[in-house]
């Protein structure tokens, strides 16, 4: 009886590990862009790996693995954000200053600094499109929004990025 259960739930571990290794950087970039700290990002990735491993056999088209696992990751990230909303901080300004300092310290490129100034909704779309190389259609499916919304957010993000870069160049 146990052998039957094991064969029904059998996942090709090597195939799964290979797919995870191919998408490791995308997963981290997506998680860190949403959660903004390593501990939470690693927690979200760990939860994503557990969930995706358990449900891997339910994925009918293995070619959609990247889109599928990033969608799971985004959901796990938002679960963490929602849990943290329930925490009441003693001094919100202290937390914001610490987060701001951490972001600036963590950033090692101009692009990351610019992205940190975008609204979360624009940053998410931009990262999925440029960092994760997902198509507009894939992003729309992943976020359950129309393709036109993805395109307009990308357009707004590009304009905002241009404004930020011009502002920074003018200051230097």
């Amino acid at each position: 009886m146990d052998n039957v259960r094991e064969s029904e739930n059998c996942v090709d571990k090597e195939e799964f590990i290979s797919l995870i290794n191919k998408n490791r950087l995308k997963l981290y970039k997506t998680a860190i862009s949403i959660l903004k700290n390593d501990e939470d990002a690693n927690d979200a990735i760990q939860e994503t790996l557990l969930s995706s491993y358990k449900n891997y056999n339910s994925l009918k088209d293995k070619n959609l693995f990247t889109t599928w696992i990033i969608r799971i990751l985004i959901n796990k990230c938002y679960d963490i954000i929602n849990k943290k909303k329930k925490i009441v901080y003693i001094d919100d300004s202290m937390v914001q200053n610490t987060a701001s300092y951490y972001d600036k310290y963590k950033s090692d490129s101009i692009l990351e600094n610019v992205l940190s100034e975008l609204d979360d909704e624009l940053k998410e779309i931009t990262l999925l499109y440029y960092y994760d190389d997902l198509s507009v259609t894939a992003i729309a499916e992943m976020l359950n929004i129309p393709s036109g919304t993805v395109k307009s957010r990308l357009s707004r993000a590009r304009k905002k990025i241009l404004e930020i870069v011009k502002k920074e160049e003018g200051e230097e």
Side-chain angles (χ1 to χ4, degrees):
M1 185 80 167
D2 286 334
N3 290 339
V4 173
R5 280 191 197 135
E6 286 178 21
S7 65
E8 286 175 6
N9 295 326
C10 185
V11 172
D12 185 348
K13 292 177 186 176
E14 289 183 24
E15 177 185 33
F16 183 79
I17 290 169
S18 173
L19 288 168
I20 292 300
N21 285 333
K22 287 179 187 173
N23 290 286
R24 189 172 45 186
L25 187 58
K26 287 180 182 183
L27 293 171
Y28 178 76
K29 286 180 178 180
T30 302
I32 200 74
S33 70
I34 294 171
L35 296 170
K36 299 179 181 52
N37 76 58
D38 282 330
E39 286 180 24
D40 289 342
N42 288 328
D43 286 347
I45 291 168
Q46 183 176 4
E47 290 293 322
T48 299
L49 294 178
L50 288 171
S51 179
S52 61
Y53 184 76
K54 288 178 188 174
N55 296 300
Y56 183 66
N57 287 333
S58 69
L59 180 63
K60 291 179 175 70
D61 185 353
K62 303 300 186 210
N63 293 324
L64 297 176
F65 179 80
T66 300
T67 304
W68 177 72
I69 197 163
I70 289 176
R71 179 72 250 169
I72 293 170
L73 176 63
I74 290 170
N75 289 336
K76 297 296 181 187
C77 289
Y78 287 127
D79 288 347
I80 290 172
I81 289 170
N82 288 334
K83 286 177 187 174
K84 287 193 171 231
K85 282 182 182 177
K86 295 176 183 176
I87 298 171
V88 177
Y89 294 102
I90 295 171
D91 184 2
D92 278 345
S93 65
M94 189 167 123
V95 173
Q96 290 171 349
N97 289 340
T98 304
S100 173
Y101 175 78
Y102 180 81
D103 285 344
K104 287 188 172 122
Y105 176 77
K106 185 83 172 135
S107 297
D108 52 15
S109 76
I110 294 171
L111 181 59
E112 287 178 15
N113 287 329
V114 170
L115 286 174
S116 70
E117 293 188 36
L118 290 178
D119 296 341
D120 288 340
E121 134 185 313
L122 298 179
K123 184 185 337 181
E124 180 180 36
I125 297 281
T126 303
L127 288 169
L128 291 172
Y129 188 78
Y130 290 107
Y131 273 54
D132 295 336
D133 293 323
L134 295 177
S135 68
V136 169
T137 306
I139 296 169
E141 289 173 8
M142 186 181 294
L143 300 178
N144 296 320
I145 58 176
S147 294
T149 303
V150 174
K151 290 177 185 176
S152 67
R153 287 181 186 171
L154 276 172
S155 177
R156 284 195 333 241
R158 289 182 192 117
K159 288 177 186 173
K160 183 73 174 166
I161 290 169
L162 186 60
E163 288 174 17
I164 294 166
V165 169
K166 283 183 179 179
K167 181 178 140 191
E168 286 185 10
E169 286 178 355
E171 291 178 357
E172 293 177 353

